[in-house]
């Protein structure tokens, strides 16, 4: 029998991300030690509406290192909000940031770090994974731009499972599928490597098992731990290798039709993977093996059903004539993808995602 190479896709380059990670239950209590380790003396705490109380607790834990609070973070990191926070940073002579929240709050911390290079401690409360990436998306005058800069990488990330317990079941599911999408696309990135692929498969296994269990019982600590672990690994994947059709399409759909981030990712993923499947038989085989299923896109759509995700983009309020518009936008802005983009193929993909149909048959 021929020898099967495990470390496929040779040669490869692997670069480790430098962020220090603390993972466990109750780990938010380590925020003071981390602030001290990073020599932060005047800390601004960033948070969103659901985290007023926990932000107060953390502020008191920080003691005389606490300088103030900013709670104005918004989805897609509007530059106007960043500028407002920058004024406060200057006024309070802030020298460090602690952010508690999802991708939107993390985005604000990263936007501030980009401009004034402040050290960041991030306490994620969703599964978006932004805290692990040197990527920042910002919006100005309705236009979203994405940059990659090592300055935005947080110094410390504290994954405290307890902070995810009150993430509502519906949001937990779609946020987790957003993470699954990072890991899936990492498997066929042009700069894929065996280390990241191993993390990606483990991430997908953890999330696909944990998310339906969280939907049944959001207080299931074991499932919450597995989902957060999977989300961390997915964030490493997103931050380490390039993404393709799925992410670019969600970016276009979200930006053009103002669709919610995580829900859009959850709906599109099975269809984008089915589109790419003929060009990536090795990836499909690895995923089928990892998940113990025959048809991977259908299995992922089945997870969507179990977590109660919206069925199609129509349910998110996308107009039907948006299908053709999205096709043209995707074709006008070509990018790296394992299977070349065709007008007909893209139209079918987006129409299926719009209607909530089964993904194209990939067997
Ligand atoms: P989010 O941060 O906007 O949070 C979604 C909603 O859930 C908000 O209303 C928030 O207040 C609430 N919420 C968050 N945690 C909660 C909790 N534990 N309990 C109750 N409610 C809670 O959404 P998100 O999906 O985490 O992040 C999306 C944003 O992050 C987008 O702007 C996206 O572009 C960005 N993002 C960036 C990267 C990157 O690498 N740059 C990666 C992923 C996502």
């Amino acid at each position: 029998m021929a020898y099967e190479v495990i470390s496929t896709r040779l040669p490869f380059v692997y670069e480790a991300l430098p962020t220090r990670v603390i993972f466990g239950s109750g780990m938010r209590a380590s925020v003071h030690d981390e602030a001290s380790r990073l020599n932060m003396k005047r800390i601004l705490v960033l948070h969103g509406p659901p985290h007023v109380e926990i932000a107060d607790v953390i502020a008191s834990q920080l003691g005389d290192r606490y300088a103030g609070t900013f709670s104005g973070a918004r989805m897609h990191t509007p530059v106007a909000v960043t500028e407002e926070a920058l004024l406060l940073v200057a006024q309070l002579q802030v020298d460090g940031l602690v952010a508690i929240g999802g991708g939107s709050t993390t985005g604000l911390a990263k936007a501030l770090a980009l401009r004034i290079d402040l050290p960041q401690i991030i306490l994620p409360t969703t599964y978006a994974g932004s805290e692990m990436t040197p990527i920042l998306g910002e919006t100005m005058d309705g236009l979203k731009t994405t940059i990659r800069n090592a300055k935005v990488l947080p110094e410390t990330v504290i994954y405290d499972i307890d902070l995810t317990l009150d993430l509502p079941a519906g949001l937990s599911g779609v946020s987790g599928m957003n993470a699954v999408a990072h890991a899936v696309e990492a498997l066929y990135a042009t700069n894929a490597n065996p280390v990241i692929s191993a993390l990606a498969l483990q991430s997908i296994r953890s999330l696909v098992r944990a998310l339906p269990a969280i939907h049944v019982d959001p207080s299931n600590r074991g499932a919450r731990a597995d989902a957060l672990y999977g989300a961390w690994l997915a964030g490493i994947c997103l931050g380490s290798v390039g993404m393709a059709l799925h992410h670019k399409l969600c970016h276009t759909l979200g930006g053009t039709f103002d669709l919610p981030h995580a829900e859009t990712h959850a709906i599109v993923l099975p269809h984008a993977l089915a589109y790419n499947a003929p060009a990536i038989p090795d990836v499909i085989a690895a995923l089928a093996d990892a998940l113990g299923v025959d048809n991977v896109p259908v299995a992922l759509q089945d997870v969507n059903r179990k977590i109660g995700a919206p069925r199609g983009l129509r349910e998110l309020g996308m107009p039907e004539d948006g299908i053709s518009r999205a096709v043209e936008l995707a074709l006008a802005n070509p990018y790296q993808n394992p299977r070349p983009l065709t007008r007909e193929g893209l139209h079918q993909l987006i129409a299926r995602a719009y209607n909530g149909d089964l993904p194209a048959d990939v067997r």
Side-chain angles (χ1 to χ4, degrees):
M1 205 163 71
Y3 181 81
E4 206 179 316
V5 182
I6 294 174
S7 51
T8 47
R9 294 181 185 256
L10 302 173
F12 61 85
V13 175
Y14 171 70
E15 197 177 331
L17 299 172
T19 303
R20 174 175 157 96
V21 170
I22 297 171
F23 194 105
S25 180
M27 297 317 286
R28 60 191 177 283
S30 56
V31 73
H32 182 272
D33 287 353
E34 284 305 304
S36 154
R37 210 180 58 80
L38 292 166
N39 206 19
M40 295 175 169
K41 295 197 173 72
R42 308 250 332 138
I43 296 170
L44 184 66
V45 175
L46 310 173
H47 70 86
H51 296 111
V52 177
E53 279 172 33
I54 187 71
D56 282 350
V57 172
I58 285 179
S60 66
Q61 281 171 351
L62 289 171
D64 58 10
R65 292 177 197 270
Y66 169 73
T69 295
F70 183 84
S71 59
R74 298 278 173 276
M75 184 87 101
H76 305 309
T77 328
V79 171
V81 172
T82 304
E83 284 169 354
E84 199 187 319
L86 273 173
L87 288 178
L88 193 61
V89 164
Q91 192 189 330
L92 298 173
Q93 299 181 313
V94 165
D95 66 2
L97 302 168
V98 170
I100 309 141
S104 299
T105 311
T106 303
L108 174 61
K110 289 164 81 172
L112 292 170
L114 176 72
R115 287 159 176 83
I116 43 178
D117 215 2
L118 291 179
Q120 310 164 66
I121 301 173
I122 310 284
L123 294 100
T125 63
T126 70
Y127 304 130
S130 172
E131 64 282 353
M132 279 294 131
T133 83
I135 305 163
L136 172 67
E138 298 189 292
T139 43
M140 192 157 77
D141 303 327
L143 215 72
K144 188 160 180 174
T145 51
T146 304
I147 59 121
R148 202 180 174 94
N149 189 323
K151 268 209 287 195
V152 308
L153 265 175
E155 278 63 16
T156 297
V157 174
I158 302 176
Y159 286 108
D160 187 335
I161 297 149
D162 303 354
L163 294 180
T164 61
L165 287 173
D166 59 357
L167 185 63
L171 196 51
S172 299
V174 289
S175 180
M177 288 305 280
N178 182 195
V180 171
H182 306 331
V184 165
E185 289 231 291
L187 291 168
Y188 50 75
T190 43
N191 54 348
N193 67 68
V195 178
I196 293 301
S197 295
L199 297 188
L201 288 172
Q202 182 55 50
S203 161
I204 295 161
R205 256 187 237 113
S206 297
L207 285 158
V208 162
R209 216 161 76 91
L211 298 177
I214 290 172
H215 187 72
V216 173
D217 175 11
S219 67
N220 180 335
R221 284 177 171 271
R224 285 291 188 185
D226 279 353
L228 195 58
Y229 177 60
W232 165 31
L233 301 186
I236 299 176
C237 293
L238 177 67
S240 303
V241 296
M243 297 288 114
L245 172 65
H246 169 80
H247 279 74
K248 308 290 168 159
L249 201 52
C250 289
H251 187 94
T252 302
L253 290 166
T256 312
F257 306 110
D258 197 23
L259 306 181
H261 179 83
E263 286 83 348
T264 306
H265 273 269
I267 293 169
V268 171
L269 180 63
H271 302 283
L273 186 60
Y275 180 87
N276 276 332
I280 47 166
D282 54 335
V283 168
I284 294 292
L287 282 168
D289 186 44
L291 299 178
V293 299
D294 289 336
N295 187 323
V296 181
V298 169
L300 291 178
Q301 199 179 52
D302 204 38
V303 178
N304 276 344
R305 188 184 51 74
K306 288 183 186 155
I307 60 170
R311 281 177 61 88
L313 298 172
R314 183 207 305 266
E315 277 181 44
L316 300 187
M318 178 175 153
E320 190 159 10
D321 67 0
I323 299 174
S324 304
R325 269 198 285 158
V327 172
E328 294 314 316
L329 283 169
L331 288 171
N333 182 13
Y335 39 79
Q336 195 56 52
N337 192 58
R339 183 174 168 199
L341 302 186
T342 64
R343 181 168 277 104
E344 170 63 18
L346 270 178
H347 197 280
Q348 272 192 26
L349 186 175
I350 300 171
R352 282 175 187 276
Y354 178 82
N355 290 313
D357 294 336
L358 272 176
D361 194 352
V362 299
R363 280 170 297 182

